[in-house]
């Protein structure tokens, strides 16, 4: 008597196309291609479509908004992933901007045959260039300082703050106080920093005349390329092991400490990297706008950087960038029509987003998908429960 053994079939080969096991490879592949496709689309829009479709004036405005978007990338890293409410990014934005403006003012003075910038000739008390201005005549030193100087200040401040386990509202207040202190100091240095007016009338950018529209478009392309590269770098940090550790520190700092990691170092890295991005944004802002002043780096601009990321979605890079551009555009248009009410509207927008939509506009799609999943399960809950009972009883009596 021969016995036949039943053939076992693999569920993966017999599963119909509509089952999750059959669609899982396609879903993973589509997710893998989603990020490069979005990056390519952004490159086409920023580097190709925008210069062709926009006029020179509107392209200059977009370049200004993209500088704010670079700051938002750092805010998304520090606040969205690390939970650090950075309300003092204007400090690092200003340090990078002044470092770049100092070199450009010295270059303009040398082109005009002067030893001192124009504002020093008007307000200065001596005929000698201040000692701390002299190294910025070197373009390599100036370019390095646009990033290294903000990162150094952030490293010193973060080391003192995070080692003492200062966090939450106290950290936000300290960062905001730093922005106010820097703005007040710059206003008081009329002879060396331009005071309230700041450094204005910048005419050249490493040998290129900024009055030429062709060179202005070149500046825009540099800013757009820098934004795309920083978004790609931040994306890699998000999905890396450090990004997961940063989220763990945000959610449960004590557990991370018990696992052998130092949360202070983890937060310090995010804070320093965000400061470097803000400094680079300030440096690129100077040739795009032609000015840097204390009004652009005080408390109000620092809060504006955070509001832009909050509106778009601080946990999403694309959301933070789009939110920063949208808020900057609204500020340019609505502040002219409602100059007295815009500041209050900006603060109200921040409160509403943090209180009622913490994930920003980028989280609306996830909320809709969650509601769609919850609604069918709640509707089918009683029916599925009654169908399970006979099946269980059948198995018990078989």
């Amino acid at each position: 008597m021969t016995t036949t053994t039943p053939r076992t079939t693999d569920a993966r080969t017999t599963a119909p196309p509509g089952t999750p096991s059959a669609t899982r490879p396609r879903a993973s592949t589509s997710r893998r291609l989603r990020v490069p496709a979005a990056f390519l689309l952004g490159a086409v829009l920023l580097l190709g479509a925008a210069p062709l479709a926009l006029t020179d004036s509107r392209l200059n405005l977009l370049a200004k908004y993209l500088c704010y978007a670079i700051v938002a990338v750092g805010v998304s890293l520090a606040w969205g992933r690390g939970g650090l409410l950075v309300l003092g990014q204007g400090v690092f934005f200003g340090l990078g901007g002044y470092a770049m403006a100092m070199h450009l003012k010295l270059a303009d003075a040398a082109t005009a045959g002067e030893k001192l910038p124009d504002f020093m000739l008007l307000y200065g008390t001596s005929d000698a260039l201040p000692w701390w201005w002299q190294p910025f005549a070197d373009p390599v030193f100036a370019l390095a300082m646009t990033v290294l100087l903000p990162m150094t200040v952030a490293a010193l401040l973060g080391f003192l703050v995070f080692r003492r386990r200062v966090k939450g509202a106290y950290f936000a207040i300290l960062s905001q106080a730093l922005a106010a202190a820097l703005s007040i100091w710059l206003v008081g240095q009329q002879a060396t920093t331009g005071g309230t007016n700041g450094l204005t009338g910048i005419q050249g950018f490493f040998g290129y005349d900024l009055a030429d529209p062709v060179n202005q478009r070149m500046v825009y392309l540099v800013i757009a390329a820098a934004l795309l590269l920083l978004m790609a770098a931040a994306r890699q940090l998000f999905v890396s092991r450090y990004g997961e550790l940063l989220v763990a520190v945000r959610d449960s700092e004590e557990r991370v400490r018990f696992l052998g990691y130092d949360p202070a170092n983890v937060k310090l890295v995010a804070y320093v990297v965000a400061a470097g991005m803000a400094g680079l944004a300030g440096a690129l802002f100077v040739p795009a706008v032609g000015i840097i002043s204390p009004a652009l780096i005080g408390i109000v601009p620092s809060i504006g950087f955070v509001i832009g990321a909050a509106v778009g979605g601080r946990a999403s890079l694309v959301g933070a960038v789009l939110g920063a551009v949208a808020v900057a555009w609204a500020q340019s248009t609505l502040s002219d029509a409602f100059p007295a009410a815009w500041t209050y509207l900006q603060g109200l927008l921040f409160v509403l987003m943090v209180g009622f939509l913490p994930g920003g506009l980028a989280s609306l799609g996830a909320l809709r998908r969650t509601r769609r999943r919850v609604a069918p399960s709640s509707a089918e809950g009683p029916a599925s429960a009654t169908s399970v009972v006979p099946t269980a009883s059948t198995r018990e009596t078989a």
Side-chain angles (χ1 to χ4, degrees):
M1 182 177 180
T2 61
T3 60
T4 59
T5 58
R7 292 189 302 173
T8 59
T9 58
D10 192 355
R12 290 175 296 181
T13 59
T14 59
T19 57
S21 60
T23 59
R24 190 178 296 115
R26 293 182 180 179
S28 62
T29 303
S30 62
R31 289 180 181 178
R32 224 179 286 123
L33 296 177
R34 190 180 304 171
V35 175
F39 184 82
L40 180 60
L41 177 61
V44 170
L45 292 177
L46 291 178
L47 300 178
L52 294 177
L54 299 179
T55 61
D56 293 336
S57 60
R58 293 186 180 275
L59 196 65
N60 292 338
L61 281 177
L62 182 58
K64 174 183 174 181
Y65 301 158
L66 293 185
C67 292
Y68 296 152
I70 293 176
V71 182
V73 173
V75 173
S76 179
L77 175 66
W79 186 29
R81 302 291 288 187
L84 303 174
L85 183 54
V86 285
L87 291 180
Q89 292 303 95
V91 173
F92 313 118
F93 184 85
L95 290 175
Y98 269 89
M100 175 63 75
M102 288 165 65
H103 169 73
L104 297 183
K105 292 296 291 183
L106 291 175
D108 290 344
T111 303
E114 300 288 346
K115 295 182 179 179
L116 299 178
D118 51 2
F119 74 94
M120 287 188 182
L121 296 175
L122 182 62
Y123 300 109
T125 57
S126 64
D127 296 333
L129 189 69
W131 63 268
W132 51 278
W133 268 75
Q134 296 175 6
F136 287 93
D138 185 6
V140 177
F141 178 84
L143 285 175
M145 286 298 103
T146 58
V147 178
L148 294 181
L149 184 59
M151 295 179 72
T152 302
V153 174
L156 294 176
L157 178 64
F159 180 81
L160 297 175
V161 170
F162 298 139
R163 287 295 175 183
R164 294 183 176 272
R165 301 185 183 182
V166 177
K167 55 185 178 180
Y170 300 101
F171 172 76
I173 292 173
L174 283 175
S175 61
Q176 204 170 40
L178 182 63
L182 179 62
S183 178
I184 294 173
W185 182 82
L186 290 172
V187 170
Q189 304 297 317
Q190 181 78 28
T192 55
T193 63
T196 306
N197 296 327
L199 303 181
T200 62
I202 296 174
Q203 301 175 359
F205 181 64
F206 294 97
Y208 294 95
D209 185 11
L210 292 178
D212 190 350
V214 176
N215 295 333
Q216 281 289 342
R217 287 179 173 267
M218 177 194 68
V219 172
Y220 164 79
L221 293 176
V222 171
I223 295 173
L227 173 62
L228 293 172
L229 291 177
L230 290 178
M231 289 183 66
R235 170 68 183 177
Q236 289 300 115
L237 284 177
F238 276 25
V239 300
S240 65
R241 183 176 181 181
Y242 169 76
E244 296 178 356
L245 186 60
L246 185 61
V247 174
V249 171
R250 179 196 66 189
D251 295 339
S252 182
E253 186 172 330
E254 294 301 325
R255 288 187 179 182
V256 174
R257 184 176 287 108
F258 291 152
L259 291 175
Y261 296 97
D262 190 355
N265 294 334
V266 178
K267 293 189 288 187
L268 181 62
V269 172
Y271 188 51
V272 170
V273 172
M277 292 182 180
L280 180 60
L284 295 174
F285 180 86
V286 172
V289 181
I291 183 177
I292 188 70
S293 68
L296 298 170
I297 64 176
I299 295 178
V300 175
S302 298
I303 296 177
F305 293 145
V306 176
I307 291 176
V311 170
R314 63 179 185 266
S316 170
L317 282 175
V318 177
V321 167
L322 294 180
V325 173
V327 171
W329 173 81
Q331 182 178 5
S332 299
T333 55
L334 297 180
S335 60
D336 294 336
F338 309 99
W342 166 247
T343 303
Y344 300 100
L345 179 61
Q346 195 177 29
L348 178 62
L349 186 63
F350 179 68
V351 172
L352 291 177
M353 282 295 171
V354 174
F356 299 97
L357 194 62
L361 297 178
S363 63
L364 291 178
L367 290 176
R368 289 180 179 178
R369 289 192 296 267
T370 303
R371 290 180 180 178
R372 290 177 181 177
R373 292 174 183 175
V374 171
S377 61
S378 60
E380 298 174 0
S384 60
T386 55
S387 62
V388 169
V389 174
T391 306
S393 61
T394 305
R395 288 181 178 178
E396 292 174 355
T397 55

